[in-house]
Amino acid sequence: MRKNIVAGNWKMNKTLQQGIELADEIKNLLTGQKLRCEVVIATPFIHLASVSEVVKGSVIGLAAENCADRFSGAFTGEVSAEMIKSTGATYCIIGHSERRTYYGENFEILKNKVLLALENDLKPIFCIGEYLEERKKNIQNEVVGKQLDGSVFNLAAEDFAKIILAYEPVWAIGTGLTATSEQAQQMHAFIRSLIAEKYGKEIAENTSILYGGSCNPANAAELFSKPDVDGGLIGGASLKAGDFKTIIDAF
Ligand code: 13P
């Protein structure tokens, strides 16, 4: 059966020292707790090696927020999937809307990133979601379908089965506008139906699909109560250990 997962995406926040402190706080809050979901934190690259030491032996999994679309070599400023893996991280967010929007990451680039993450034994947390204009035109299903087709539906079934999806409607990210739990459920069920068409019912049922976009301690329980919402990818609310813990407790 698929896993429930609560993942924090720190984005470009926290100095190294603050990040270590936050990871330590989260670890302490979770120690000895009976959890009904997996917990992941995604940190900036420079935090990974240090935070990896902090979370070692705990229930917390570690993710990068991005990886390079090339294996290695003369790509100044880039960080490869292999380097990420060497820090102890085991997940990698790929295709976040901020990467697509501000850094021009297109379907082809993201396809390469997913392949490299998988080759290096990192679990991709692959993000998809529509802009407000697209939802207003009621073409959100088409948009999300194309994002899947363009970057992950090329994978063989055994590789696709390693992927975690995160539906993040762009209009809900950092805006305080959350998708209603019905909107989230509808989209997640649609995504699962596409996976079933492509890879069969079993893989579809086993794929974790997280919701992201202004998910917070007040709305998490309602969102997670929906049958196809298998957890959350949390931005702002993951920067405070207490809030993040409350979201984890929503399960
Ligand atoms: P917020 O929770 O801050 O809206 O961010 C969501 C997100 O983009 C997580 O990846």
Side-chain angles (χ1 to χ4, degrees):
M1 238 353 237
R2 60 185 179 259
K3 290 172 179 159
N4 291 327
I5 302 168
V6 172
N9 174 10
W10 291 3
K11 308 193 179 184
M12 195 172 73
N13 292 293
K14 304 286 176 191
T15 63
L16 176 58
Q17 291 74 19
Q18 290 165 344
I20 291 170
E21 217 169 285
L22 176 57
D24 197 49
E25 255 182 275
I26 295 168
K27 182 179 76 174
N28 291 336
L29 285 177
L30 298 182
T31 302
Q33 302 281 312
K34 199 163 181 282
L35 298 180
R36 304 177 71 168
C37 63
E38 297 206 345
V39 176
V40 175
I41 53 181
T43 79
F45 292 132
I46 65 134
H47 297 60
L48 288 174
S50 309
V51 169
S52 172
E53 290 302 314
V54 176
V55 302
K56 200 178 264 174
S58 79
V59 294
I60 302 168
L62 184 61
E65 298 175 11
N66 179 27
C67 69
D69 62 338
R70 311 296 176 101
F71 183 73
S72 70
F75 302 102
T76 302
E78 287 296 301
V79 176
S80 72
E82 186 182 33
M83 293 172 190
I84 292 166
K85 182 68 186 177
S86 75
T87 66
T90 51
Y91 299 83
C92 187
I93 296 177
I94 296 174
H96 193 280
S97 66
E98 287 147 20
R99 302 294 318 171
R100 295 177 191 260
T101 305
Y102 306 136
Y103 302 98
E105 295 192 358
N106 60 29
F107 291 177
E108 203 55 33
I109 290 173
L110 296 175
K111 191 188 208 174
N112 285 337
K113 291 188 178 203
V114 168
L115 289 172
L116 284 163
L118 287 169
E119 257 174 49
N120 287 284
D121 214 13
L122 292 170
K123 262 182 170 305
I125 302 174
F126 187 73
C127 304
I128 50 187
E130 80 286 355
Y131 288 101
L132 184 57
E133 286 313 305
E134 294 166 332
R135 182 159 281 264
K136 280 186 181 158
K137 288 189 208 148
N138 201 29
I139 55 167
Q140 64 274 12
N141 286 5
E142 217 176 308
V143 169
V144 163
K146 280 190 183 146
Q147 290 171 334
L148 291 168
D149 269 338
S151 306
V152 291
F153 276 179
N154 55 296
L155 295 170
E158 61 172 327
D159 279 334
F160 184 84
K162 297 172 189 157
I163 290 208
I164 297 160
L165 294 176
Y167 169 58
E168 300 206 308
V170 183
W171 46 273
I173 296 178
T175 57
L177 280 178
T178 319
T180 63
S181 56
E182 287 74 24
Q183 283 172 322
Q185 168 57 27
Q186 255 175 20
M187 178 56 88
H188 286 221
F190 172 68
I191 293 167
R192 207 177 298 288
S193 75
L194 293 180
I195 302 169
E197 256 171 50
K198 179 84 194 166
Y199 294 106
K201 202 163 163 40
E202 190 181 340
I203 287 186
E205 284 303 317
N206 287 332
T207 303
S208 298
I209 309 175
L210 316 184
Y211 168 80
S214 299
C215 183
N216 61 41
N219 60 26
E222 168 65 23
L223 285 160
F224 299 170
S225 72
K226 297 295 176 191
D228 287 290
V229 178
D230 309 312
L233 183 54
I234 320 297
S238 74
L239 296 171
K240 289 192 185 134
D243 284 357
F244 191 52
K245 168 74 162 48
T246 307
I247 294 172
I248 292 163
D249 288 342
F251 270 116

